[in-house]
Amino acid sequence: ADEPLVLGIETSCDETGVGIVRGTTLLANAVASSVDDHARFGGVVPEIASRAHLEAMVPTIERALKEAGVSARDLDGIAVTAGPGLAGALLVGVSAAKAYAYALDKPLYGVNHLASHICVDQLEHGPLPEPTMALLVSGGHSSLLLAPDITSDVRPMGATIDDAAGEAFDKIARVLNLGFPGGPVIDRLAKEGDPEAIAFPRGLSGPRDPAYDFSFSGLKTAVARWVEAKRNAGEDVPVRDVAASFQEAVVDVLTRKAVRACKDEGVDHLMIGGGVAANSRLRALAEERCERAGIRLRVPRPGLCTDNGAMVAALGAEMVARNRPASDLELSADSSLPV
Ligand code: KG4
Ligand code: ZN
């Protein structure tokens, strides 16, 4: 009953998220997205995102408080994404969190966006075992992280050396004229396609390549060239097969490297988070490979995988519960904050 009541604010990209949790229990998860404002540009436009955050911030905080049925006076802390992310977008959230923390006289917790993507799973599956291995895949990041302590020790094992996994989905969707964001459409079309129709390259999969890093730009180019050759030859592009074969190339590498990292480090839990974790084939293949390796897989539901405020609140509550030091009001946004 004495679990900490924490409000979390997330504005690292295009989603204004405000969540409220009590310990590991989700009470509210209000999200205002500006994704439609970016659609016609085929990607997130930082200036548009910052402005949208500014307009949505206070109404979204009020909506979350109402949804949770709690009073701001009863909060035990206010957590906010301090980075990494878009500088101007982060600044809106950090400024709002500071203002509320100061006005309400509550402790402020600046948290890492990637760590909170991992911690959010507590809201779905209960306390996270430590250490946990995490594969975070979204439009902005693709990382493999080892988390011996979610509040203070999250270590990068590997990351993409070029495009993020979600970015690759979005770019291929553009090549196929499927609109933005591309992940959900490709996921859907791939179900009707043959994943083995076209042998697209698996990035950084050679014996001398880094074991845990990813690369998707070569794959992206290969798919674009293949489609262009078809078009130039005046042939129909088998969109479903391209989608399925491309998707298979991405999730094959992601799951293989994640499972290998778990084995190498002797970790028996893998969590997958970020927007791409919504991908049905990624979930299925990860389940299959984890089961074979004796690894427990934890994937939160899609609404908790994409950027949201609840994940920030979840990590903030964990910091309160473990008596971690609060941030002071000098807290600033850091667009390249390391874990
Ligand atoms: O976590 P997120 O909402 O925002 C950040 O990028 O941080 O992730 C959005 C990304 C987009 O690139 C989108 O195309 C991708 O996640 N995505 C998917 C699926 N749903 C969303 N990718 C593959 N399959 C999906 N079902
Ligand atoms: Zn994210």
Side-chain angles (χ1 to χ4, degrees):
D2 274 357
E3 288 187 296
L5 181 68
V6 173
L7 178 141
I9 298 175
E10 151 63 36
T11 63
S12 70
C13 192
D14 60 339
E15 245 108 40
T16 312
V18 180
I20 298 175
V21 306
R22 191 182 294 281
T24 58
T25 306
L26 176 65
L27 300 183
N29 197 13
V31 183
S33 176
S34 60
V35 67
D36 295 340
D37 303 334
H38 306 282
R40 66 197 170 100
F41 300 101
V44 175
V45 183
E47 289 78 6
I48 294 178
S50 305
R51 200 189 159 82
H53 285 310
L54 211 49
E55 288 168 357
M57 195 74 264
V58 174
T60 310
I61 290 174
E62 283 172 356
R63 193 148 54 85
L65 286 166
K66 206 171 155 202
E67 197 180 310
V70 300
S71 158
R73 282 188 314 269
D74 296 330
L75 293 170
D76 295 305
I78 293 176
V80 63
T81 306
L86 301 170
L90 287 166
L91 199 57
V92 179
V94 169
S95 305
K98 280 161 57 165
Y100 275 79
Y102 180 72
L104 296 163
D105 195 20
K106 303 290 181 189
L108 172 72
Y109 297 89
V111 304
N112 186 286
H113 180 72
L114 301 181
S116 49
H117 262 303
I118 302 174
C119 195
V120 75
D121 192 52
Q122 301 206 130
L123 304 177
E124 179 119 13
H125 298 113
L128 204 66
E130 290 174 333
T132 279
M133 189 68 68
L135 171 67
L136 296 185
V137 275
S138 74
H141 30 82
S142 294
S143 309
L144 209 41
L145 302 163
L146 176 64
D149 179 335
I150 193 64
T151 62
S152 64
D153 185 11
V154 180
R155 304 173 193 166
M157 298 280 297
T160 179
I161 60 164
D162 40 56
D163 296 340
E167 207 178 342
F169 273 92
D170 295 335
K171 285 178 177 169
I172 294 310
R174 202 147 138 192
V175 167
L176 297 171
N177 301 315
L178 301 173
F180 173 85
V185 198
I186 291 187
D187 191 351
R188 185 154 34 80
L189 291 173
K191 290 196 171 107
E192 296 156 22
D194 176 4
E196 287 167 11
I198 311 148
F200 287 131
R202 270 61 171 161
L204 296 185
S205 287
R208 282 178 305 279
D209 286 328
Y212 312 125
D213 284 338
F214 305 107
S215 167
F216 298 109
S217 92
L219 169 62
K220 180 191 67 192
T221 308
V223 177
R225 287 223 180 103
W226 193 94
V227 169
E228 196 184 83
K230 278 278 168 197
R231 286 188 182 133
N232 287 344
E235 293 172 33
D236 283 345
V237 177
V239 176
R240 288 168 175 75
D241 286 346
V242 174
S245 301
F246 156 76
Q247 176 177 275
E248 196 66 17
V250 174
V251 307
D252 176 27
V253 178
L254 290 175
T255 53
R256 193 149 26 81
K257 294 202 172 198
V259 168
R260 186 194 301 165
C262 288
K263 284 186 180 164
D264 291 352
E265 296 293 321
V267 174
D268 60 3
H269 278 82
L270 172 67
M271 86 77 59
I272 306 185
V276 181
N279 186 270
S280 58
R281 181 60 187 148
L282 174 61
R283 286 177 179 244
L285 192 58
E287 235 158 67
E288 193 183 309
R289 290 181 170 173
C290 280
E291 192 176 333
R292 208 179 306 145
I295 296 163
R296 282 275 190 87
L297 179 66
R298 295 170 60 124
V299 193
R301 61 183 176 272
L304 294 179
C305 282
T306 52
D307 292 349
N308 65 82
M311 66 192 214
V312 181
L315 182 50
E318 202 53 55
M319 299 198 54
V320 175
R322 297 190 197 186
N323 287 311
R324 297 288 182 238
S327 312
D328 59 33
L329 289 173
E330 307 291 302
L331 175 72
S332 56
D334 180 351
S335 61
S336 55
L337 186 70
V339 280

